[in-house]
PDB file of all heavy atoms in Angstrom:
ATOM      1  N   ASP A  48       0.850  -1.177  -0.002  1.00  0.00           N
ATOM      2  CA  ASP A  48       0.018   0.006  -0.009  1.00  0.00           C
ATOM      3  C   ASP A  48       0.877   1.251  -0.005  1.00  0.00           C
ATOM      4  O   ASP A  48       1.566   1.556   0.963  1.00  0.00           O
ATOM      5  CB  ASP A  48      -0.898  -0.002   1.255  1.00  0.00           C
ATOM      6  CG  ASP A  48      -1.934   1.123   1.212  1.00  0.00           C
ATOM      7  OD1 ASP A  48      -1.813   2.032   0.377  1.00  0.00           O
ATOM      8  OD2 ASP A  48      -2.913   1.043   1.991  1.00  0.00           O
ATOM      9  N   GLU A  49       0.879   2.006  -1.104  1.00  0.00           N
ATOM     10  CA  GLU A  49       1.749   3.151  -1.208  1.00  0.00           C
ATOM     11  C   GLU A  49       1.393   4.302  -0.294  1.00  0.00           C
ATOM     12  O   GLU A  49       2.176   5.161  -0.005  1.00  0.00           O
ATOM     13  CB  GLU A  49       1.718   3.662  -2.657  1.00  0.00           C
ATOM     14  CG  GLU A  49       2.318   2.677  -3.667  1.00  0.00           C
ATOM     15  CD  GLU A  49       2.292   3.214  -5.080  1.00  0.00           C
ATOM     16  OE1 GLU A  49       1.766   4.338  -5.248  1.00  0.00           O
ATOM     17  OE2 GLU A  49       2.784   2.514  -6.003  1.00  0.00           O
ATOM     18  N   ASP A  50       0.119   4.296   0.223  1.00  0.00           N
ATOM     19  CA  ASP A  50      -0.328   5.357   1.125  1.00  0.00           C
ATOM     20  C   ASP A  50       0.065   5.078   2.581  1.00  0.00           C
ATOM     21  O   ASP A  50      -0.178   5.878   3.450  1.00  0.00           O
ATOM     22  CB  ASP A  50      -1.824   5.537   1.028  1.00  0.00           C
ATOM     23  CG  ASP A  50      -2.260   6.075  -0.338  1.00  0.00           C
ATOM     24  OD1 ASP A  50      -1.485   6.795  -0.943  1.00  0.00           O
ATOM     25  OD2 ASP A  50      -3.344   5.673  -0.768  1.00  0.00           O
ATOM     26  N   TRP A  51       0.596   3.871   2.825  1.00  0.00           N
ATOM     27  CA  TRP A  51       0.932   3.459   4.199  1.00  0.00           C
ATOM     28  C   TRP A  51       2.451   3.410   4.363  1.00  0.00           C
ATOM     29  O   TRP A  51       3.096   2.465   3.965  1.00  0.00           O
ATOM     30  CB  TRP A  51       0.301   2.125   4.481  1.00  0.00           C
ATOM     31  CG  TRP A  51       0.216   1.732   5.935  1.00  0.00           C
ATOM     32  CD1 TRP A  51       0.834   0.696   6.556  1.00  0.00           C
ATOM     33  CD2 TRP A  51      -0.514   2.412   6.981  1.00  0.00           C
ATOM     34  NE1 TRP A  51       0.535   0.664   7.889  1.00  0.00           N
ATOM     35  CE2 TRP A  51      -0.286   1.716   8.192  1.00  0.00           C
ATOM     36  CE3 TRP A  51      -1.305   3.548   7.005  1.00  0.00           C
ATOM     37  CZ2 TRP A  51      -0.854   2.112   9.400  1.00  0.00           C
ATOM     38  CZ3 TRP A  51      -1.858   3.950   8.212  1.00  0.00           C
ATOM     39  CH2 TRP A  51      -1.650   3.241   9.372  1.00  0.00           C
ATOM     40  N   TYR A  52       3.025   4.441   4.905  1.00  0.00           N
ATOM     41  CA  TYR A  52       4.472   4.605   4.980  1.00  0.00           C
ATOM     42  C   TYR A  52       4.811   5.245   6.330  1.00  0.00           C
ATOM     43  O   TYR A  52       3.979   5.878   6.939  1.00  0.00           O
ATOM     44  CB  TYR A  52       4.988   5.459   3.838  1.00  0.00           C
ATOM     45  CG  TYR A  52       4.306   6.812   3.737  1.00  0.00           C
ATOM     46  CD1 TYR A  52       4.811   7.902   4.422  1.00  0.00           C
ATOM     47  CD2 TYR A  52       3.172   6.969   2.997  1.00  0.00           C
ATOM     48  CE1 TYR A  52       4.185   9.118   4.355  1.00  0.00           C
ATOM     49  CE2 TYR A  52       2.512   8.197   2.928  1.00  0.00           C
ATOM     50  CZ  TYR A  52       3.017   9.301   3.583  1.00  0.00           C
ATOM     51  OH  TYR A  52       2.394  10.503   3.512  1.00  0.00           O
ATOM     52  N   PRO A  53       6.066   5.064   6.816  1.00  0.00           N
ATOM     53  CA  PRO A  53       6.426   5.641   8.111  1.00  0.00           C
ATOM     54  C   PRO A  53       6.322   7.162   8.063  1.00  0.00           C
ATOM     55  O   PRO A  53       6.988   7.847   7.295  1.00  0.00           O
ATOM     56  CB  PRO A  53       7.895   5.226   8.283  1.00  0.00           C
ATOM     57  CG  PRO A  53       8.043   4.025   7.398  1.00  0.00           C
ATOM     58  CD  PRO A  53       7.130   4.246   6.220  1.00  0.00           C
ATOM     59  N   PRO A  54       5.454   7.751   8.871  1.00  0.00           N
ATOM     60  CA  PRO A  54       5.215   9.202   8.853  1.00  0.00           C
ATOM     61  C   PRO A  54       6.281   9.986   9.606  1.00  0.00           C
ATOM     62  O   PRO A  54       6.692   9.635  10.703  1.00  0.00           O
ATOM     63  CB  PRO A  54       3.842   9.368   9.493  1.00  0.00           C
ATOM     64  CG  PRO A  54       3.753   8.215  10.435  1.00  0.00           C
ATOM     65  CD  PRO A  54       4.501   7.076   9.790  1.00  0.00           C
ATOM     66  N   GLU A  55       6.694  11.092   8.984  1.00  0.00           N
ATOM     67  CA  GLU A  55       7.659  11.977   9.634  1.00  0.00           C
ATOM     68  C   GLU A  55       7.082  12.635  10.881  1.00  0.00           C
ATOM     69  O   GLU A  55       7.793  13.010  11.795  1.00  0.00           O
ATOM     70  CB  GLU A  55       8.079  13.073   8.627  1.00  0.00           C
ATOM     71  CG  GLU A  55       9.166  13.979   9.153  1.00  0.00           C
ATOM     72  CD  GLU A  55       9.566  15.058   8.165  1.00  0.00           C
ATOM     73  OE1 GLU A  55       9.068  15.017   7.010  1.00  0.00           O
ATOM     74  OE2 GLU A  55      10.363  15.943   8.517  1.00  0.00           O
ATOM     75  N   ASN A  56       5.745  12.750  10.901  1.00  0.00           N
ATOM     76  CA  ASN A  56       5.082  13.442  12.019  1.00  0.00           C
ATOM     77  C   ASN A  56       4.986  12.609  13.293  1.00  0.00           C
ATOM     78  O   ASN A  56       4.510  13.060  14.319  1.00  0.00           O
ATOM     79  CB  ASN A  56       3.682  13.884  11.627  1.00  0.00           C
ATOM     80  CG  ASN A  56       3.650  15.132  10.828  1.00  0.00           C
ATOM     81  OD1 ASN A  56       4.670  15.840  10.778  1.00  0.00           O
ATOM     82  ND2 ASN A  56       2.531  15.479  10.241  1.00  0.00           N
ATOM     83  N   LEU A  57       5.419  11.344  13.198  1.00  0.00           N
ATOM     84  CA  LEU A  57       5.487  10.524  14.390  1.00  0.00           C
ATOM     85  C   LEU A  57       6.892  10.517  14.931  1.00  0.00           C
ATOM     86  O   LEU A  57       7.835   9.974  14.376  1.00  0.00           O
ATOM     87  CB  LEU A  57       5.062   9.053  14.089  1.00  0.00           C
ATOM     88  CG  LEU A  57       5.030   8.067  15.263  1.00  0.00           C
ATOM     89  CD1 LEU A  57       4.294   8.598  16.483  1.00  0.00           C
ATOM     90  CD2 LEU A  57       4.457   6.750  14.813  1.00  0.00           C
ATOM     91  N   ARG A  58       7.060  11.231  16.080  1.00  0.00           N
ATOM     92  CA  ARG A  58       8.402  11.417  16.683  1.00  0.00           C
ATOM     93  C   ARG A  58       8.506  10.430  17.900  1.00  0.00           C
ATOM     94  O   ARG A  58       7.715  10.468  18.824  1.00  0.00           O
ATOM     95  CB  ARG A  58       8.560  12.877  17.184  1.00  0.00           C
ATOM     96  CG  ARG A  58       8.135  13.911  16.158  1.00  0.00           C
ATOM     97  CD  ARG A  58       9.155  14.181  15.113  1.00  0.00           C
ATOM     98  NE  ARG A  58       8.623  14.976  13.986  1.00  0.00           N
ATOM     99  CZ  ARG A  58       8.539  16.292  13.977  1.00  0.00           C
ATOM    100  NH1 ARG A  58       8.928  17.007  15.024  1.00  0.00           N
ATOM    101  NH2 ARG A  58       8.096  16.932  12.924  1.00  0.00           N
ATOM    102  N   LEU A  59       9.544   9.624  17.842  1.00  0.00           N
ATOM    103  CA  LEU A  59       9.681   8.537  18.843  1.00  0.00           C
ATOM    104  C   LEU A  59      10.792   8.857  19.818  1.00  0.00           C
ATOM    105  O   LEU A  59      11.860   9.325  19.430  1.00  0.00           O
ATOM    106  CB  LEU A  59       9.990   7.243  18.087  1.00  0.00           C
ATOM    107  CG  LEU A  59       9.889   5.931  18.874  1.00  0.00           C
ATOM    108  CD1 LEU A  59       8.440   5.671  19.306  1.00  0.00           C
ATOM    109  CD2 LEU A  59      10.401   4.786  17.998  1.00  0.00           C
ATOM    110  N   PHE A  60      10.496   8.597  21.109  1.00  0.00           N
ATOM    111  CA  PHE A  60      11.499   8.810  22.158  1.00  0.00           C
ATOM    112  C   PHE A  60      11.600   7.524  22.985  1.00  0.00           C
ATOM    113  O   PHE A  60      10.565   6.975  23.382  1.00  0.00           O
ATOM    114  CB  PHE A  60      11.137   9.981  23.062  1.00  0.00           C
ATOM    115  CG  PHE A  60      11.020  11.289  22.357  1.00  0.00           C
ATOM    116  CD1 PHE A  60       9.781  11.676  21.784  1.00  0.00           C
ATOM    117  CD2 PHE A  60      12.101  12.111  22.241  1.00  0.00           C
ATOM    118  CE1 PHE A  60       9.671  12.870  21.137  1.00  0.00           C
ATOM    119  CE2 PHE A  60      11.967  13.361  21.576  1.00  0.00           C
ATOM    120  CZ  PHE A  60      10.757  13.705  21.018  1.00  0.00           C
ATOM    121  N   THR A  61      12.806   7.052  23.267  1.00  0.00           N
ATOM    122  CA  THR A  61      13.010   5.914  24.124  1.00  0.00           C
ATOM    123  C   THR A  61      13.627   6.421  25.420  1.00  0.00           C
ATOM    124  O   THR A  61      14.127   7.574  25.476  1.00  0.00           O
ATOM    125  CB  THR A  61      13.900   4.839  23.496  1.00  0.00           C
ATOM    126  OG1 THR A  61      15.170   5.363  23.329  1.00  0.00           O
ATOM    127  CG2 THR A  61      13.333   4.413  22.142  1.00  0.00           C
ATOM    128  N   GLU A  62      13.697   5.583  26.410  1.00  0.00           N
ATOM    129  CA  GLU A  62      14.337   5.985  27.677  1.00  0.00           C
ATOM    130  C   GLU A  62      15.787   6.297  27.448  1.00  0.00           C
ATOM    131  O   GLU A  62      16.368   7.184  28.091  1.00  0.00           O
ATOM    132  CB  GLU A  62      14.171   4.867  28.726  1.00  0.00           C
ATOM    133  CG  GLU A  62      14.625   5.323  30.120  1.00  0.00           C
ATOM    134  CD  GLU A  62      14.349   4.282  31.167  1.00  0.00           C
ATOM    135  OE1 GLU A  62      13.942   3.157  30.827  1.00  0.00           O
ATOM    136  OE2 GLU A  62      14.544   4.614  32.370  1.00  0.00           O
ATOM    137  N   ALA A  63      16.403   5.610  26.493  1.00  0.00           N
ATOM    138  CA  ALA A  63      17.844   5.864  26.194  1.00  0.00           C
ATOM    139  C   ALA A  63      18.011   7.274  25.620  1.00  0.00           C
ATOM    140  O   ALA A  63      19.040   7.922  25.802  1.00  0.00           O
ATOM    141  CB  ALA A  63      18.365   4.868  25.195  1.00  0.00           C
ATOM    142  N   ASP A  64      16.972   7.792  24.911  1.00  0.00           N
ATOM    143  CA  ASP A  64      17.056   9.126  24.310  1.00  0.00           C
ATOM    144  C   ASP A  64      16.912  10.222  25.372  1.00  0.00           C
ATOM    145  O   ASP A  64      17.604  11.250  25.303  1.00  0.00           O
ATOM    146  CB  ASP A  64      15.933   9.334  23.312  1.00  0.00           C
ATOM    147  CG  ASP A  64      16.054   8.413  22.126  1.00  0.00           C
ATOM    148  OD1 ASP A  64      17.218   8.160  21.697  1.00  0.00           O
ATOM    149  OD2 ASP A  64      15.043   7.942  21.592  1.00  0.00           O
ATOM    150  N   ILE A  65      16.028  10.035  26.339  1.00  0.00           N
ATOM    151  CA  ILE A  65      15.695  11.139  27.227  1.00  0.00           C
ATOM    152  C   ILE A  65      16.048  10.882  28.689  1.00  0.00           C
ATOM    153  O   ILE A  65      15.889  11.752  29.520  1.00  0.00           O
ATOM    154  CB  ILE A  65      14.181  11.416  27.143  1.00  0.00           C
ATOM    155  CG1 ILE A  65      13.365  10.165  27.528  1.00  0.00           C
ATOM    156  CG2 ILE A  65      13.785  11.882  25.754  1.00  0.00           C
ATOM    157  CD1 ILE A  65      11.892  10.374  27.568  1.00  0.00           C
ATOM    158  N   GLY A  66      16.517   9.653  28.990  1.00  0.00           N
ATOM    159  CA  GLY A  66      16.861   9.335  30.389  1.00  0.00           C
ATOM    160  C   GLY A  66      15.574   9.085  31.162  1.00  0.00           C
ATOM    161  O   GLY A  66      14.477   8.987  30.586  1.00  0.00           O
ATOM    162  N   SER A  67      15.692   8.953  32.431  1.00  0.00           N
ATOM    163  CA  SER A  67      14.520   8.646  33.285  1.00  0.00           C
ATOM    164  C   SER A  67      13.845   9.930  33.710  1.00  0.00           C
ATOM    165  O   SER A  67      14.483  10.878  34.168  1.00  0.00           O
ATOM    166  CB  SER A  67      14.984   7.857  34.511  1.00  0.00           C
ATOM    167  OG  SER A  67      15.575   6.622  34.159  1.00  0.00           O
ATOM    168  N   PHE A  68      12.518   9.981  33.597  1.00  0.00           N
ATOM    169  CA  PHE A  68      11.754  11.089  34.092  1.00  0.00           C
ATOM    170  C   PHE A  68      11.660  10.955  35.599  1.00  0.00           C
ATOM    171  O   PHE A  68      11.420   9.892  36.158  1.00  0.00           O
ATOM    172  CB  PHE A  68      10.334  11.067  33.500  1.00  0.00           C
ATOM    173  CG  PHE A  68      10.246  11.639  32.134  1.00  0.00           C
ATOM    174  CD1 PHE A  68      10.422  10.832  31.032  1.00  0.00           C
ATOM    175  CD2 PHE A  68      10.006  12.999  31.949  1.00  0.00           C
ATOM    176  CE1 PHE A  68      10.349  11.357  29.754  1.00  0.00           C
ATOM    177  CE2 PHE A  68       9.921  13.506  30.650  1.00  0.00           C
ATOM    178  CZ  PHE A  68      10.082  12.699  29.540  1.00  0.00           C
ATOM    179  N   THR A  69      11.882  12.082  36.302  1.00  0.00           N
ATOM    180  CA  THR A  69      11.747  12.080  37.747  1.00  0.00           C
ATOM    181  C   THR A  69      10.778  13.173  38.141  1.00  0.00           C
ATOM    182  O   THR A  69       9.723  13.272  37.544  1.00  0.00           O
ATOM    183  CB  THR A  69      13.120  12.272  38.427  1.00  0.00           C
ATOM    184  OG1 THR A  69      13.705  13.464  37.833  1.00  0.00           O
ATOM    185  CG2 THR A  69      14.079  11.090  38.133  1.00  0.00           C
ATOM    186  N   ASP A  70      11.097  13.941  39.139  1.00  0.00           N
ATOM    187  CA  ASP A  70      10.193  14.984  39.628  1.00  0.00           C
ATOM    188  C   ASP A  70       9.979  16.091  38.615  1.00  0.00           C
ATOM    189  O   ASP A  70       9.046  16.915  38.749  1.00  0.00           O
ATOM    190  CB  ASP A  70      10.706  15.582  40.949  1.00  0.00           C
ATOM    191  CG  ASP A  70      10.556  14.615  42.091  1.00  0.00           C
ATOM    192  OD1 ASP A  70       9.675  13.712  41.957  1.00  0.00           O
ATOM    193  OD2 ASP A  70      11.299  14.706  43.074  1.00  0.00           O
ATOM    194  N   ASP A  71      10.838  16.215  37.599  1.00  0.00           N
ATOM    195  CA  ASP A  71      10.679  17.261  36.604  1.00  0.00           C
ATOM    196  C   ASP A  71       9.972  16.783  35.339  1.00  0.00           C
ATOM    197  O   ASP A  71      10.082  17.371  34.272  1.00  0.00           O
ATOM    198  CB  ASP A  71      12.053  17.853  36.243  1.00  0.00           C
ATOM    199  CG  ASP A  71      12.958  16.827  35.565  1.00  0.00           C
ATOM    200  OD1 ASP A  71      12.622  15.616  35.608  1.00  0.00           O
ATOM    201  OD2 ASP A  71      13.986  17.234  35.008  1.00  0.00           O
ATOM    202  N   ALA A  72       9.181  15.699  35.499  1.00  0.00           N
ATOM    203  CA  ALA A  72       8.561  15.093  34.326  1.00  0.00           C
ATOM    204  C   ALA A  72       7.661  16.061  33.567  1.00  0.00           C
ATOM    205  O   ALA A  72       7.736  16.139  32.321  1.00  0.00           O
ATOM    206  CB  ALA A  72       7.726  13.877  34.763  1.00  0.00           C
ATOM    207  N   ILE A  73       6.861  16.821  34.261  1.00  0.00           N
ATOM    208  CA  ILE A  73       5.921  17.742  33.578  1.00  0.00           C
ATOM    209  C   ILE A  73       6.709  18.834  32.838  1.00  0.00           C
ATOM    210  O   ILE A  73       6.388  19.176  31.691  1.00  0.00           O
ATOM    211  CB  ILE A  73       4.977  18.372  34.605  1.00  0.00           C
ATOM    212  CG1 ILE A  73       4.079  17.302  35.252  1.00  0.00           C
ATOM    213  CG2 ILE A  73       4.102  19.427  33.925  1.00  0.00           C
ATOM    214  CD1 ILE A  73       3.153  16.571  34.298  1.00  0.00           C
ATOM    215  N   ASP A  74       7.721  19.384  33.502  1.00  0.00           N
ATOM    216  CA  ASP A  74       8.522  20.449  32.831  1.00  0.00           C
ATOM    217  C   ASP A  74       9.240  19.924  31.613  1.00  0.00           C
ATOM    218  O   ASP A  74       9.262  20.584  30.575  1.00  0.00           O
ATOM    219  CB  ASP A  74       9.545  21.000  33.845  1.00  0.00           C
ATOM    220  CG  ASP A  74       8.923  21.772  34.981  1.00  0.00           C
ATOM    221  OD1 ASP A  74       7.767  22.242  34.779  1.00  0.00           O
ATOM    222  OD2 ASP A  74       9.563  21.911  36.038  1.00  0.00           O
ATOM    223  N   ARG A  75       9.810  18.716  31.671  1.00  0.00           N
ATOM    224  CA  ARG A  75      10.509  18.155  30.559  1.00  0.00           C
ATOM    225  C   ARG A  75       9.553  17.809  29.413  1.00  0.00           C
ATOM    226  O   ARG A  75       9.878  17.973  28.237  1.00  0.00           O
ATOM    227  CB  ARG A  75      11.294  16.912  30.970  1.00  0.00           C
ATOM    228  CG  ARG A  75      12.429  17.245  31.945  1.00  0.00           C
ATOM    229  CD  ARG A  75      13.262  16.024  32.284  1.00  0.00           C
ATOM    230  NE  ARG A  75      13.869  15.446  31.118  1.00  0.00           N
ATOM    231  CZ  ARG A  75      14.423  14.258  31.107  1.00  0.00           C
ATOM    232  NH1 ARG A  75      14.359  13.487  32.171  1.00  0.00           N
ATOM    233  NH2 ARG A  75      14.991  13.756  30.023  1.00  0.00           N
ATOM    234  N   LEU A  76       8.385  17.337  29.777  1.00  0.00           N
ATOM    235  CA  LEU A  76       7.367  17.027  28.758  1.00  0.00           C
ATOM    236  C   LEU A  76       6.944  18.313  28.051  1.00  0.00           C
ATOM    237  O   LEU A  76       6.807  18.324  26.807  1.00  0.00           O
ATOM    238  CB  LEU A  76       6.192  16.358  29.435  1.00  0.00           C
ATOM    239  CG  LEU A  76       5.145  15.701  28.539  1.00  0.00           C
ATOM    240  CD1 LEU A  76       5.768  14.713  27.545  1.00  0.00           C
ATOM    241  CD2 LEU A  76       4.085  15.020  29.354  1.00  0.00           C
ATOM    242  N   GLU A  77       6.770  19.362  28.783  1.00  0.00           N
ATOM    243  CA  GLU A  77       6.356  20.668  28.200  1.00  0.00           C
ATOM    244  C   GLU A  77       7.441  21.182  27.270  1.00  0.00           C
ATOM    245  O   GLU A  77       7.169  21.725  26.197  1.00  0.00           O
ATOM    246  CB  GLU A  77       6.032  21.669  29.279  1.00  0.00           C
ATOM    247  CG  GLU A  77       5.495  22.979  28.699  1.00  0.00           C
ATOM    248  CD  GLU A  77       4.927  23.880  29.763  1.00  0.00           C
ATOM    249  OE1 GLU A  77       5.212  23.680  30.965  1.00  0.00           O
ATOM    250  OE2 GLU A  77       4.158  24.796  29.430  1.00  0.00           O
ATOM    251  N   GLU A  78       8.702  21.026  27.660  1.00  0.00           N
ATOM    252  CA  GLU A  78       9.803  21.437  26.816  1.00  0.00           C
ATOM    253  C   GLU A  78       9.792  20.738  25.459  1.00  0.00           C
ATOM    254  O   GLU A  78      10.023  21.332  24.394  1.00  0.00           O
ATOM    255  CB  GLU A  78      11.136  21.171  27.511  1.00  0.00           C
ATOM    256  CG  GLU A  78      11.435  22.134  28.678  1.00  0.00           C
ATOM    257  CD  GLU A  78      12.684  21.706  29.431  1.00  0.00           C
ATOM    258  OE1 GLU A  78      13.337  20.725  29.005  1.00  0.00           O
ATOM    259  OE2 GLU A  78      12.995  22.348  30.472  1.00  0.00           O
ATOM    260  N   LEU A  79       9.495  19.435  25.467  1.00  0.00           N
ATOM    261  CA  LEU A  79       9.459  18.679  24.230  1.00  0.00           C
ATOM    262  C   LEU A  79       8.245  19.024  23.390  1.00  0.00           C
ATOM    263  O   LEU A  79       8.313  19.011  22.154  1.00  0.00           O
ATOM    264  CB  LEU A  79       9.464  17.161  24.559  1.00  0.00           C
ATOM    265  CG  LEU A  79      10.799  16.642  25.091  1.00  0.00           C
ATOM    266  CD1 LEU A  79      10.631  15.226  25.639  1.00  0.00           C
ATOM    267  CD2 LEU A  79      11.854  16.669  23.978  1.00  0.00           C
ATOM    268  N   ILE A  80       7.145  19.400  24.018  1.00  0.00           N
ATOM    269  CA  ILE A  80       5.982  19.829  23.261  1.00  0.00           C
ATOM    270  C   ILE A  80       6.283  21.155  22.547  1.00  0.00           C
ATOM    271  O   ILE A  80       5.974  21.320  21.379  1.00  0.00           O
ATOM    272  CB  ILE A  80       4.790  20.010  24.206  1.00  0.00           C
ATOM    273  CG1 ILE A  80       4.283  18.616  24.701  1.00  0.00           C
ATOM    274  CG2 ILE A  80       3.621  20.751  23.492  1.00  0.00           C
ATOM    275  CD1 ILE A  80       3.255  18.708  25.797  1.00  0.00           C
ATOM    276  N   LEU A  81       6.942  22.056  23.254  1.00  0.00           N
ATOM    277  CA  LEU A  81       7.281  23.363  22.670  1.00  0.00           C
ATOM    278  C   LEU A  81       8.374  23.217  21.606  1.00  0.00           C
ATOM    279  O   LEU A  81       8.385  23.981  20.653  1.00  0.00           O
ATOM    280  CB  LEU A  81       7.803  24.311  23.772  1.00  0.00           C
ATOM    281  CG  LEU A  81       6.715  24.766  24.774  1.00  0.00           C
ATOM    282  CD1 LEU A  81       7.385  25.517  25.924  1.00  0.00           C
ATOM    283  CD2 LEU A  81       5.671  25.599  24.118  1.00  0.00           C
ATOM    284  N   ALA A  82       9.223  22.216  21.702  1.00  0.00           N
ATOM    285  CA  ALA A  82      10.319  22.003  20.719  1.00  0.00           C
ATOM    286  C   ALA A  82       9.772  21.350  19.464  1.00  0.00           C
ATOM    287  O   ALA A  82      10.508  21.229  18.489  1.00  0.00           O
ATOM    288  CB  ALA A  82      11.397  21.150  21.365  1.00  0.00           C
TER     289      ALA A  82
END
């Protein structure tokens, strides 16, 4: 199916990419939304 392909708009993050979320989880999540 030519219409079914990996979309650029899906941005993936693993724990290795961002480290462990701790008490600053909300702040870090907001930073990534703004970025």
Side-chain angles (χ1 to χ4, degrees):
D48 188 347
E49 295 180 358
D50 294 328
W51 196 243
Y52 54 90
E55 183 181 355
N56 279 348
L57 180 51
R58 315 278 169 85
L59 192 66
F60 300 88
T61 66
E62 188 173 8
D64 295 324
I65 59 175
S67 299
F68 279 89
T69 53
D70 289 335
D71 62 349
I73 298 296
D74 291 338
R75 293 183 62 193
L76 191 54
E77 185 169 18
E78 288 173 2
L79 289 169
I80 291 170
L81 291 172

